[in-house]
Amino acid sequence: MMVVHERDDVPTSEGVRQMAPPNEILAAKIFKGILTLELLGITGAYWLFNKMNTNQDFRHTMSKRFPLVLEAYYKSNEWAGLYGIRERDQEEWLNCKN
């Protein structure tokens, strides 16, 4: 016969169901929230890098609105050994103005 207490939630090896402590439930919710935010941040960073990496017009927009982000993009490419992107962009933008 299974004994049931007032606090039913988590089964134990004895067949008695006990509720998880509120701190553990809160900790699990906080962990899931932080994990979700990190995954959204990684996805957003990838999307932004991919958009800047494939679209020169988007880089031009970024140069006007968020120059520090574009500078970080150029620096990350230079650290990776990809040189000349900044120069090609500046040359193209000067040719468009003329």
Side-chain angles (χ1 to χ4, degrees):
M1 178 172 173
M2 189 170 151
V3 179
V4 178
H5 296 284
E6 293 177 17
R7 298 170 67 174
D8 286 338
D9 197 23
V10 179
T12 63
S13 60
E14 299 141 5
V16 177
R17 297 173 69 90
Q18 296 177 352
M19 185 175 201
N23 290 342
E24 287 181 19
I25 294 170
L26 180 62
K29 287 182 179 181
I30 290 172
F31 176 75
K32 287 179 185 176
I34 290 171
L35 185 63
T36 301
L37 288 174
E38 286 185 7
L39 289 174
L40 286 172
I42 290 169
T43 302
Y46 173 77
W47 176 84
L48 181 63
F49 178 82
N50 189 45
K51 185 86 170 174
M52 284 197 296
N53 204 35
T54 58
N55 190 334
Q56 191 176 41
D57 291 334
F58 184 72
R59 288 195 299 270
H60 187 58
T61 301
M62 293 298 288
S63 73
K64 291 179 180 177
R65 292 187 180 174
F66 305 104
L68 291 176
V69 174
L70 184 64
E71 183 64 26
Y73 166 77
Y74 288 142
K75 290 284 186 188
S76 68
N77 277 313
E78 289 168 359
W79 288 335
L82 301 171
Y83 298 98
I85 298 172
R86 180 192 318 254
E87 291 78 15
R88 282 192 302 262
D89 285 349
Q90 290 172 349
E91 183 179 328
E92 180 69 28
W93 299 336
L94 284 175
N95 289 337
C96 287
K97 286 182 181 179
N98 296 333

